[in-house]
Amino acid sequence: MTTRNKFIILWILGLILGFCACSSDNGIEDTPGTGQEEPGGSEGDKPSEGDGEGQDSVEVQKKYSIRYAADYEKYLADAERWPGLVGDSLVEKRLEGVKVTIDARYTRMHANSRLSIGSTPWFSTGLYAAPGEIITVVRPHQLTSTGVKVSVRINASNCDLKNYSGTKNRADKIWVQEQMNGDTLELVNYYGGNIYIVPAEPLDKKWTFTITGAVKSPDFVLGTTNESEWLEAIRKSTVPMAELEGKRIIWTFPTKYLKTLTNPAELMEFYDDAVVNTFNRFNGLTDDASDLLHRSPSFKHRGCADINTCAGAAHSGYPCMYGESMNYASRFIQLNLMKNEGGAWGFFHELGHNYQTWVWKWDAGPGSIGEVTNNLYIMYDRNRRKTWPQQTENYADVVNGFVLSDKPDKDFDEGNEGDLIPSGKGSRIVPFVQLAQKFGWKFFTYMVRCAREMDNVYANSLTKDWGRREFFCKRLCEFAQADMRPFLDAWGIKYGDVANAEMASMPPYEGDKFWERWDAGVIASVEQLSQSDLDRIKLKLPDDTYNNVLGEIKRTDWTITAEGSVWKWDKTVGGAPEKVLDNDIKSCIMWVKPGKTYSITASSSPDGEAHSLTGKEPMSMTIDMHSEETFNYAIIRHRTDMTGGVHVQKLKLLGSNDGKNFEEISEITVDTEPSVAHRLDLNKTYRYRYVKVQILEWMQANYTVCIADFRLGCD
């Protein structure tokens, strides 16, 4: 009998029996609506019964069954393959009017956190959408007035396999996410999945949504779910995917693996401990830091198993994705394996990418350490558990074969994997672990903290190879309070003339040559930074004083004027020309685009009056530096809170010494990526008092063109 025929028979049987079914028990009492909260805060509320919930009426069951029969047949085989089907209404009741309260009062990560952790968390509902069935979500009408955009998502996978070149074991895209433009949204995912509420930004309080058409997901929530009752429920459930939720992390796993799990509470306590005492501690992040810059993420991390991932066996992101090819889901629920053997490497490796601080992650060319420094987290974790991962038995060979070799002009970054012996990314972690052995793990905490305290434009201007590598070299000498070039040279870690001179000015290193050996013993301490350590951080400088590092021209005395239609009536970003110089990336100069008219009502205007402005050319700004300055590069930063339509695409620079007669310097195409400072290298060195920036091309959407920050400097 074909899958299709079996399914239709089951549908007919369920429809017939549905006429007789009558129950007010929805079986959802133990499932929380969201576990998301600020650390130490509320766990959120449970879904609660609505007036019609669980009635299993003829109309309700017919609605879902017809959906299957009419639309779903052609997707059935793919859905059955992954993530799987849900039992009929007699096995898994379709619920009506389920009240789900989410607590989205989290705190956004600081803009200078330097972490890649997702900034738009999802909030679990404790519900699951069966493949092809209609899910109806109703939000409180009052939520509209907050202005926060809210979406509904079905399925935790974030992998679209459209461009995947390997063997595909499922449909290309198995998740859907739609924004609620009204108070009610009907949503269908032909492959099914766990249901999430996704606000685009934090909310001001708890909000309750009403969901109809879903089934209960057999989720386990640490501190809320009764473990013995969950063990019974998970074994009976036909829902193919479910969640394990701790205080700091949420896993989405196939229930076929969860049915073998006997200790969910202990398992999630392990993962929570790893997040708090490994990842956050390594990076110097705490829940109670008075400065948001150094505060732990207040939303929970996520990991999700999938039969396919879109990049390798696993990859980082929100959530981190883990493929079936490596049996990650099976391994990650085995607590003894995670604690004592190499089975935990994948978890720490991918979440390590999320925590990786890119300011010192040189990743240009074959010498990238992008797949190296994220592994420091498992080294740190195993150290505090008094064990090393299995790979360390080869580390002595790395030292003997490379550091102690007679190879001339050693290059740590040479070749596809470096010219280390034995070769491979695992070999490249050895010098970093040696530094931890010598100076303690707090050296890396110091590095990360220095990276966070850097000015954003300064950090983003560091090149992916030399700039980031030299940042590492300088911070090492700074922390050791000594010239560490002997260590760097032994490992072939390269640096330029300027960095060489800076390091040579430090006191000579007089300790032992620790880089010439591998110490197999674990590191004695995982202490945190002291006040004297913190006092060494020298990078938190006012905006106009770090020119000594980058060659930037001080902007203290700069003034600016503009041509074109400059929009000044914006409460958030201001819009005036001087906003380019205020060191605030969120503010900007804002021109109304030629041919477009931008208006604001009196009720929305900062001055209480209505305004309307029609754009005109030319759009330009002229900077008076009040003295002749030498420069060979410019830095432009786009407005970051809008990604579509407001960015410059091409500009022209002109220079003058009298403010009247301008000479062309260069026409420059500008990358529209909003999250970085774009360095614009000029063809030679110029010396002018006045610099004019003319806007030549811009993105076509929206009404305005914006520039948040502009700088000049000379290497």
Side-chain angles (χ1 to χ4, degrees):
M1 184 180 297
T2 66
T3 300
R4 170 184 173 182
N5 290 336
K6 288 191 291 183
F7 180 79
I8 292 178
I9 291 173
L10 289 172
W11 163 67
I12 294 172
L13 179 61
L15 183 60
I16 294 172
L17 295 176
F19 279 91
C20 305
C22 182
S23 175
S24 60
D25 179 16
N26 58 44
I28 196 167
E29 289 83 3
D30 296 325
T31 306
T34 173
Q36 305 281 1
E37 79 287 345
E38 296 184 61
S42 171
E43 281 294 329
D45 298 328
K46 302 176 182 180
S48 61
E49 295 186 50
D51 294 338
E53 183 181 343
Q55 291 180 351
D56 229 9
S57 67
V58 172
E59 291 78 13
V60 172
Q61 300 308 318
K62 184 178 179 181
K63 176 181 180 181
Y64 301 123
S65 299
I66 289 177
R67 186 73 194 184
Y68 263 113
D71 297 339
Y72 186 61
E73 185 180 334
K74 61 182 178 181
Y75 300 97
L76 178 60
D78 280 342
E80 187 175 28
R81 184 167 49 171
W82 189 269
L85 304 181
V86 176
D88 64 31
S89 61
L90 297 181
V91 178
E92 300 289 351
K93 296 177 183 177
R94 277 54 173 176
L95 307 173
E96 286 196 284
V98 181
K99 305 295 184 182
V100 177
T101 301
I102 70 165
D103 188 354
R105 295 175 293 178
Y106 67 94
T107 302
R108 286 189 180 275
M109 296 292 294
H110 192 283
N112 286 9
S113 68
R114 317 294 183 210
L115 304 181
S116 61
I117 301 172
S119 59
T120 307
W122 314 338
F123 294 88
S124 303
T125 64
L127 299 171
Y128 193 95
E133 299 188 5
I134 300 172
I135 304 301
T136 303
V137 181
V138 180
R139 68 180 180 185
H141 181 68
Q142 297 83 348
L143 184 56
T144 306
S145 63
T146 67
V148 177
K149 297 178 180 178
V150 177
S151 298
V152 180
R153 183 183 182 95
I154 300 177
N155 203 294
S157 175
N158 62 15
C159 288
D160 189 341
L161 305 181
K162 180 180 180 181
N163 298 317
Y164 183 70
S165 58
T167 301
K168 297 181 182 181
N169 298 304
R170 64 159 171 82
D172 287 351
K173 183 180 177 182
I174 61 173
W175 54 270
V176 297
Q177 182 169 319
E178 292 187 17
Q179 183 177 311
M180 298 190 72
N181 295 318
D183 290 341
T184 301
L185 174 68
E186 285 193 342
L187 193 60
V188 175
N189 183 353
Y190 287 113
Y191 309 99
N194 299 90
I195 303 173
Y196 306 95
I197 305 297
V198 187
E201 55 190 277
L203 298 174
D204 58 342
K205 63 179 182 180
K206 296 180 180 180
W207 291 93
T208 298
F209 294 72
T210 304
I211 301 177
T212 293
V215 302
K216 179 184 178 182
S217 179
D219 300 341
F220 178 86
V221 181
L222 184 65
T224 300
T225 306
N226 180 284
E227 191 168 272
S228 61
E229 293 178 0
W230 178 82
L231 292 172
E232 180 180 357
I234 193 69
R235 286 162 177 72
K236 294 179 179 179
S237 179
T238 64
V239 176
M241 303 287 290
E243 294 188 342
L244 299 176
E245 180 171 346
K247 306 295 184 182
R248 305 290 179 142
I249 190 169
I250 304 172
W251 288 106
T252 307
F253 287 142
T255 52
K256 66 179 180 181
Y257 297 117
L258 297 181
K259 293 177 186 295
T260 66
L261 180 61
T262 59
N263 55 346
E266 189 179 3
L267 179 69
M268 296 313 298
E269 287 169 352
F270 165 83
Y271 285 116
D272 286 344
D273 173 73
V275 172
V276 174
N277 293 313
T278 295
F279 290 99
N280 290 344
R281 187 178 176 90
F282 183 100
N283 279 46
L285 302 170
T286 60
D287 296 345
D288 57 355
S290 58
D291 189 343
L292 183 60
L293 186 65
H294 308 302
R295 195 175 300 172
S296 309
S298 65
F299 55 85
K300 300 184 184 185
H301 304 287
R302 286 187 178 271
C304 178
D306 200 335
I307 198 170
N308 267 119
T309 63
C310 40
H315 61 78
S316 58
Y318 192 86
C320 294
M321 298 296 302
Y322 298 92
E324 284 278 274
S325 62
M326 297 289 289
N327 297 315
Y328 282 120
S330 175
R331 288 156 50 190
F332 287 178
I333 64 170
Q334 298 181 57
L335 183 59
N336 290 335
L337 186 65
M338 298 299 292
K339 280 185 174 180
N340 302 318
E341 300 180 28
W345 190 276
F347 161 64
F348 284 93
H349 179 93
E350 301 305 343
L351 192 57
H353 276 309
N354 282 7
Y355 272 87
Q356 208 168 21
T357 305
W358 53 262
V359 171
W360 67 279
K361 186 193 74 174
W362 58 93
D363 60 357
S368 171
I369 61 169
E371 295 295 333
V372 177
T373 57
N374 58 317
N375 293 323
L376 287 171
Y377 293 97
I378 193 169
M379 303 299 291
Y380 179 83
D381 187 85
R382 290 302 179 256
N383 176 85
R384 70 183 183 89
R385 300 180 194 278
K386 308 305 181 186
T387 62
W388 282 122
Q390 295 172 340
Q391 291 88 338
T392 58
E393 64 260 21
N394 297 322
Y395 289 0
D397 296 335
V398 179
V399 175
N400 295 332
F402 185 72
V403 174
L404 300 180
S405 73
D406 296 328
K407 178 179 172 57
D409 193 26
K410 298 171 187 172
D411 190 346
F412 183 74
D413 297 330
E414 184 178 290
N416 290 331
E417 301 287 0
D419 60 358
L420 302 182
I421 303 173
S423 66
K425 293 181 175 66
S427 302
R428 294 163 64 78
I429 202 171
V430 179
F432 302 109
V433 180
Q434 284 182 324
L435 291 175
Q437 291 176 315
K438 178 64 179 179
F439 299 111
W441 288 105
K442 67 178 183 177
F443 163 64
F444 294 102
T445 307
Y446 177 82
M447 280 264 294
V448 173
R449 183 149 179 157
C450 284
R452 286 201 299 270
E453 298 201 2
M454 293 171 69
D455 178 270
N456 222 15
V457 175
Y458 177 10
N460 284 315
S461 68
L462 296 176
T463 58
K464 291 185 176 182
D465 45 10
W466 281 100
R468 298 180 184 183
R469 191 186 298 109
E470 289 188 345
F471 174 88
F472 166 79
C473 295
K474 292 176 185 179
R475 303 291 78 74
L476 171 59
C477 295
E478 186 178 278
F479 185 84
Q481 300 186 38
D483 177 7
M484 295 303 298
R485 287 179 300 166
F487 168 85
L488 299 170
D489 294 342
W491 280 104
I493 298 174
K494 304 298 185 180
Y495 44 85
D497 293 340
V498 175
N500 182 65
E502 290 186 27
M503 292 187 287
S505 68
M506 301 287 290
Y509 174 75
E510 297 179 347
D512 64 316
K513 297 182 178 180
F514 62 91
W515 53 85
E516 294 184 350
R517 67 178 187 274
W518 166 250
D519 184 355
V522 297
I523 303 165
S525 173
V526 292
E527 75 276 9
Q528 295 291 278
L529 294 172
S530 64
Q531 187 57 51
S532 62
D533 296 325
L534 296 175
D535 291 341
R536 302 179 206 178
I537 298 177
K538 304 174 182 179
L539 291 173
K540 197 169 186 177
L541 303 173
D543 174 79
D544 61 349
T545 63
Y546 63 79
N547 58 295
N548 292 329
V549 183
L550 283 180
E552 283 195 16
I553 301 169
K554 293 183 179 182
R555 306 193 303 173
T556 309
D557 299 324
W558 287 17
T559 56
I560 185 169
T561 57
E563 294 181 283
S565 302
V566 178
W567 183 264
K568 302 178 182 180
W569 301 280
D570 190 291
K571 293 180 180 180
T572 304
V573 302
E578 58 267 22
K579 297 297 181 178
V580 176
L581 307 176
D582 65 357
N583 308 320
D584 185 353
I585 302 302
K586 292 184 179 180
S587 69
C588 61
I589 182 174
M590 187 177 346
W591 293 272
V592 179
K593 293 176 179 177
K596 294 194 175 184
T597 300
Y598 200 39
S599 302
I600 189 171
T601 62
S603 60
S604 302
S605 175
D607 61 6
E609 297 183 10
H611 299 276
S612 184
L613 193 63
T614 300
K616 61 181 181 181
E617 297 189 83
M619 293 187 291
S620 68
M621 60 182 183
T622 302
I623 295 163
D624 182 0
M625 296 181 282
H626 294 278
S627 64
E628 294 183 16
E629 299 286 355
T630 301
F631 55 92
N632 60 13
Y633 70 83
I635 291 176
I636 186 174
R637 187 71 182 263
H638 297 298
R639 178 177 171 182
T640 58
D641 62 337
M642 294 185 70
T643 59
V646 300
H647 299 162
V648 176
Q649 292 180 308
K650 188 175 185 179
L651 54 81
K652 179 187 290 186
L653 296 184
L654 303 99
S656 172
N657 285 318
D658 61 9
K660 298 178 181 178
N661 301 298
F662 283 85
E663 302 170 342
E664 182 173 337
I665 296 174
S666 181
E667 286 190 8
I668 304 172
T669 299
V670 185
D671 191 335
T672 56
E673 167 60 44
S675 61
V676 299
H678 301 284
R679 174 170 166 142
L680 312 173
D681 291 305
L682 308 177
N683 58 356
K684 65 178 184 179
T685 298
Y686 296 87
R687 186 173 179 83
Y688 290 110
R689 170 178 169 174
Y690 300 90
V691 173
K692 179 176 290 188
V693 182
Q694 291 184 344
I695 313 302
L696 301 182
E697 296 179 9
W698 49 88
M699 301 177 74
Q700 294 303 307
N702 294 339
Y703 290 89
T704 64
V705 181
C706 305
I707 295 178
D709 194 88
F710 183 82
R711 299 163 187 261
L712 295 168
C714 188
D715 292 325

